[in-house]
């Protein structure tokens, strides 16, 4: 059927995830740091997500689309409520994660820390330090180290590490990161974030800091799922 439905401009989307939070039906989600329409039949076409977008990346279009399925949305919401904590953030969804067990006969090798500096919290880090000069910088959401098993070897090793949580810190890291990147000889930046909407804040802060600093530095964004996979 032809009906009014939302359209998301991927070029404009900054990955903040506010639209996903605003969509009570669950039609919008995050993929590779961008908002996407996950389910046409979950979109009621009323546009609660439009005013939530700070960059105007969402609009209406009229096209062939699946009809809005109110019953499917209701059942999905009931399932979500059964496994969610009161604050309502998708990042707090409660569920058990089962991983394949290592072979019992295989000898366990003690893990070695790859951390090369302290402090690691973005809020506590100095804006100038000798270890920043010539550094490959890792800026990570703090949950990523718990979710991804080989975090030290795959991400911390060989990098200077800064961590934070834009949701819990309730702060925009842009100014602090702009000073760090602008005042030091940073060679590259790797951002590791979780696959939850609130983590868009740390990715967005890094991109804004790079732009504000006027530096042309290679940047890589890696997204980790809540069950520990790179997506």
């Amino acid at each position: 059927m032809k009906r009014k439905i939302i359209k998301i401009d991927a070029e404009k989307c900054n990955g903040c995830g506010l639209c996903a939070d605003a969509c009570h039906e669950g039609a919008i989600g995050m993929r590779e740091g961008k908002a996407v329409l996950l389910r046409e039949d979950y979109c009621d076409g009323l546009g609660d997500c439009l005013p939530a977008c700070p960059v105007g990346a969402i609009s209406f279009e009229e096209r062939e689309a699946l009809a809005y399925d109110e019953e499917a949305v209701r059942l999905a919401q009931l399932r979500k409520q059964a496994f969610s904590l009161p604050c309502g953030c998708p990042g707090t969804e409660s569920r058990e994660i089962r991983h394949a067990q290592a072979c019992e006969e295989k000898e366990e090798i003690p893990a070695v820390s790859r951390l090369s500096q302290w402090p690691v919290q973005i809020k506590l880090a100095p804006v100038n330090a000798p270890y920043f000069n010539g550094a490959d910088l890792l800026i990570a959401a703090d949950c990523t180290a718990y979710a991804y098993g080989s975090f030290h070897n795959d991400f911390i090793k060989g990098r200077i590490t800064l961590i934070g949580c834009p949701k819990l810190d309730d702060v925009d890291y842009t100014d602090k990161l702009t000073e760090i990147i602008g005042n030091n000889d940073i060679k590259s930046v790797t951002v590791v974030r979780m696959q939850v909407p609130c983590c868009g804040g740390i990715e967005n802060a890094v991109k804004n800091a790079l732009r504000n600093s006027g530096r042309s530095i290679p940047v890589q964004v890696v997204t980790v799922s809540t069950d520990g996979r790179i997506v």
Side-chain angles (χ1 to χ4, degrees), residues 79-143:
R79 287 194 297 270
K80 184 177 179 180
Q81 288 170 7
F83 294 100
S84 296
L85 297 180
C87 72
C89 173
T92 65
E93 181 181 342
S94 177
R95 63 192 179 94
E96 183 179 8
I97 298 172
R98 294 182 180 273
H99 297 284
Q101 296 297 314
C103 176
E104 294 181 0
E105 297 179 358
K106 184 177 180 180
E107 183 180 355
E108 291 290 335
I109 300 174
V112 177
S113 174
R114 301 296 185 177
L115 191 65
S116 60
Q117 104 288 341
W118 191 266
V120 295
Q121 288 285 346
I122 298 173
K123 292 174 65 176
L124 302 178
V127 295
N128 291 103
Y131 49 73
F132 281 133
N133 290 318
D136 293 304
L137 190 61
L138 170 66
I139 301 175
D142 49 17
C143 292

Side-chain angles (χ1 to χ4, degrees), residues 2-230:
K2 195 170 186 178
R3 69 182 184 95
K4 187 170 69 172
I5 195 167
I6 66 159
K7 178 181 180 182
I8 302 173
D9 188 331
E11 293 297 321
K12 290 183 179 180
C13 177
N14 64 7
C16 69
L18 294 176
C19 59
D21 289 340
C23 181
H24 306 298
E25 291 75 27
I28 301 175
M30 305 300 294
R31 285 181 182 164
E32 299 180 356
K34 296 286 187 178
V36 294
L37 179 61
L38 297 176
R39 295 279 302 257
E40 288 183 350
D41 57 335
Y42 281 18
C43 178
D44 60 9
L46 297 178
D48 287 345
C49 53
L50 269 70
C53 180
V55 294
I58 304 177
S59 60
F60 280 123
E61 64 176 345
E62 190 165 331
R63 63 173 174 82
E64 289 292 331
L66 294 175
Y68 173 58
D69 191 337
E70 185 175 1
E71 179 62 15
V73 170
R74 186 184 70 81
L75 292 174
Q77 289 174 335
L78 288 174
R79 287 194 297 270
K80 184 177 179 180
Q81 288 170 7
F83 294 100
S84 296
L85 297 180
C87 72
C89 173
T92 65
E93 181 181 342
S94 177
R95 63 192 179 94
E96 183 179 8
I97 298 172
R98 294 182 180 273
H99 297 284
Q101 296 297 314
C103 176
E104 294 181 0
E105 297 179 358
K106 184 177 180 180
E107 183 180 355
E108 291 290 335
I109 300 174
V112 177
S113 174
R114 301 296 185 177
L115 191 65
S116 60
Q117 104 288 341
W118 191 266
V120 295
Q121 288 285 346
I122 298 173
K123 292 174 65 176
L124 302 178
V127 295
N128 291 103
Y131 49 73
F132 281 133
N133 290 318
D136 293 304
L137 190 61
L138 170 66
I139 301 175
D142 49 17
C143 292
T144 56
Y146 292 93
Y148 186 71
S150 298
F151 194 83
H152 273 251
N153 281 333
D154 291 358
F155 294 113
I156 293 180
K157 183 179 180 181
R159 296 185 175 98
I160 297 301
T161 302
L162 297 175
I163 67 169
C165 176
K167 187 176 183 70
L168 297 182
D169 286 346
D170 193 24
V171 65
D172 185 351
Y173 301 124
T174 298
D175 291 342
K176 183 70 171 285
L177 294 176
T178 298
E179 289 190 72
I180 291 173
I181 293 170
N183 294 334
N184 299 280
D185 181 26
I186 304 296
K187 297 300 184 185
S188 69
V189 178
T190 299
V191 181
V192 184
R193 54 162 292 179
M194 296 298 297
Q195 194 184 24
V196 295
C198 52
C199 256
I202 201 164
E203 179 182 347
N204 195 40
V206 171
K207 290 179 178 178
N208 287 336
L210 286 167
R211 182 172 60 252
N212 295 345
S213 69
R215 300 287 305 279
S216 179
I217 300 173
V219 59
Q220 175 190 20
V221 178
V222 179
T223 303
V224 178
S225 68
T226 52
D227 61 355
R229 296 174 294 106
I230 293 178

